[in-house]
Amino acid sequence: MMKIGEVKERLAETVDWETWMDDIRQDPRKNVQAALAGWQRKKNLRDKQQHAHDQKIEFDASFKENREDLVCGIDEAGRGPLAGPVVTAAVILPEDCSVLTGLDDSKKLSKAKRDQYAALIKEIAVSYAVHIQPPEEIDAQNIYQATRSSMTQAALQLNPRPDVILADAMQLDAGIHCESIIKGDAKSLCIAAASILAKTGRDAIMAAYASEYPAYGFEKHAGYGTKEHLIALEENGPCPIHRKTFEPVKSMVEPPLSLRLDS
């Protein structure tokens, strides 16, 4: 009978069920059964992640007319905040994306996991591009058009040029066949990869702005309209990176209607 330490060591080195584990299943020791149950939970998680990964790969491949076609995923981060840019990313992934197993919508992953995946995506991507749309353009165009323009520019920066664009809930006019995919980061691996690059890219920008404008706490809320952010706005007024067409910033920078009429 193996010692408990030996059982744990062998389980740590085992990926799939092996014949020696049949004896472990009958072992009456509680510590052994706990170790086996822990191994099974981890295996179930790996199997679930692998299944989801395979489904995302198949989804992306379904848009190819030829096996050699390049599929680009595009997503954005920062449409809703009161401050800062919209950041969009475009990614073409290689055929072998096994290192990205477990990749999901960026909002479902921890910051550490997002940073880890971002490094992997940049390392293995056939091509990727990140575009930053500043608050001034968001105010000039409106948030929808500014995001659409940013996504288009990210797509056009890719080299080689993709054959198909899969954009998260957006139809683009980039001279390339484009499919608008609702909840694309949950269905498509290349859109999920783009969501990671957009999110990590924007978070880094907002962390830098937090040092430049420390009164607003951008490192905590990334410009979203949290209670803390709204209080800071009331106390300090808008700063240069606030979106002047978004409320309540708009009301702070525009004079009351009565004053405008008087003038």
Side-chain angles (χ1 to χ4, degrees), residues 156 179 190:
L156 294 177
E179 296 280 348
C190 59

Side-chain angles (χ1 to χ4, degrees), residues 120-134:
L120 288 171
I121 291 162
K122 291 175 181 179
E123 181 180 336
I124 71 166
V126 173
S127 180
Y128 72 89
V130 176
H131 183 266
I132 301 165
Q133 192 72 288

Side-chain angles (χ1 to χ4, degrees), residues 20 45 47 50 54 75 79 90 99-100 126 135 152 200 229 255-256:
W20 68 270
L45 177 59
D47 290 346
Q50 187 63 56
D54 292 343
D75 204 357
R79 286 182 71 173
V99 296
L100 299 182
V126 173
T152 300
T200 55
H229 188 186

Side-chain angles (χ1 to χ4, degrees), residues 64-120:
K64 296 183 178 183
E65 290 189 4
N66 304 294
R67 182 176 177 179
E68 298 78 19
D69 285 352
L70 297 177
V71 178
C72 156
I74 298 185
D75 204 357
E76 53 75 25
R79 286 182 71 173
L82 306 179
V86 165
V87 176
T88 63
V91 180
I92 301 174
L93 292 174
E95 189 169 342
D96 181 7
C97 297
S98 54
V99 296
L100 299 182
T101 302
L103 177 62
D104 205 340
D105 172 7
S106 62
K107 295 184 287 296
K108 297 180 180 179
L109 299 174
S110 67
K111 182 182 185 303
K113 277 291 186 183
R114 289 196 298 267
D115 290 342
Q116 178 184 347
Y117 279 124
L120 288 171

